[in-house]
Amino acid sequence: MGAESIVGVPMQVVANLIIGFVVFGIALTITGGGEFFMNFATALMGRSRGGPAKVAVVSSAFMGSLSGSAVSNILTTGTITIPAMKRSGYSREYAAAVEACASTGGTLMPPVMGAVAFIMASFLGVSYGEVMMAALLPAVLFYLALLLQVDNYAARKGLTGMPAKDIPRIRDTLLSGWPYLLSLGVLIYMLLVMRLESQAPYYATLILLAIALVRRQQRLRISQLLDFFYQLAHGVGSLVAVLAGIGLVVGGLSYTGLQGFLSRTAVVCR
């Protein structure tokens, strides 16, 4: 249970920072954030050639920027984008590859990135905002390269965009999804300006849930609230269990002296 074992730096970072962002990501999912970002991406990219693949890339970038998890990103957007790509002429292997790459990039896309980004900030002794800003340009370049790839593929295969009847109007989409944009703005402001890294996701979650409770369209139901608490317990429990196992291995290497032995052996061998 020492500071270099189960209750080590990774577990401390999870308790102080990551759990809040897990809460925000789950709240975003149950209140319909995935559907909003999907519609928004469709309104932006649906008409262009290879539209469904570009929708997959853009929607995964939006959703990944707020979840930081490749798995939840695929589960949220992939169930819609992969069948849409297959209907448009993409092979099932290529459709799955596009969604997998786009969803994995969500761990790099600010403001919410993967757990490693928070641990990195703790080890480097800098704010999470600095790590987030450093990751912004590489993440944008990653998604631009992916968009270029699917555009070239669509041009080579002669694939067209989505039917006009399946593309929502961008104005209507923004009007219906303003709570998600508001909570995102609050999160970014509190991270970069107020520097409240541990409290920011909780405030953003409270705003999102409060609007969902009083809003007439897509009002939050009791069953959704129960699902929120279930997913929260499942997500946090899984994360803590994995980190506890890692802590046992690290602690075993440290307290038995094997860690130092392996380091000295590596130096001698080199």
Side-chain angles (χ1 to χ4, degrees), residues 38-185:
M38 179 66 65
N39 290 336
F40 186 47
T42 304
L44 288 177
M45 294 289 180
R47 291 180 175 83
S48 59
R49 65 184 178 192
K54 293 178 181 177
V55 169
V57 173
V58 175
S59 63
S60 293
F62 284 140
M63 195 63 195
S65 70
L66 297 178
S67 68
S69 170
V71 175
S72 63
N73 203 349
I74 290 174
L75 292 175
T76 305
T77 61
T79 54
I80 301 173
T81 58
I82 292 177
M85 282 188 278
K86 289 167 63 178
R87 286 195 300 270
S88 298
Y90 289 92
S91 67
R92 59 184 183 181
E93 293 83 6
Y94 192 86
V98 169
E99 180 59 39
C101 289
S103 295
T104 302
T107 60
L108 308 173
M109 191 68 177
V112 183
M113 297 185 288
V116 176
F118 297 93
I119 298 174
M120 184 188 301
S122 179
F123 273 115
L124 294 177
V126 299
S127 67
Y128 176 68
E130 292 183 51
V131 176
M132 186 176 73
M133 293 306 297
L136 180 61
L137 181 58
V140 171
L141 291 176
F142 174 87
Y143 279 106
L144 285 177
L146 199 53
L147 279 173
L148 182 61
Q149 163 67 24
V150 298
D151 183 70
N152 289 337
Y153 184 90
R156 189 167 71 249
K157 298 290 185 179
L159 302 176
T160 59
M162 300 172 65
K165 62 182 180 64
D166 295 336
I167 301 176
R169 294 177 59 189
I170 190 167
R171 180 176 177 273
D172 295 339
T173 302
L174 290 175
L175 286 176
S176 65
W178 65 266
Y180 310 110
L181 299 177
L182 175 63
S183 61
L184 175 60

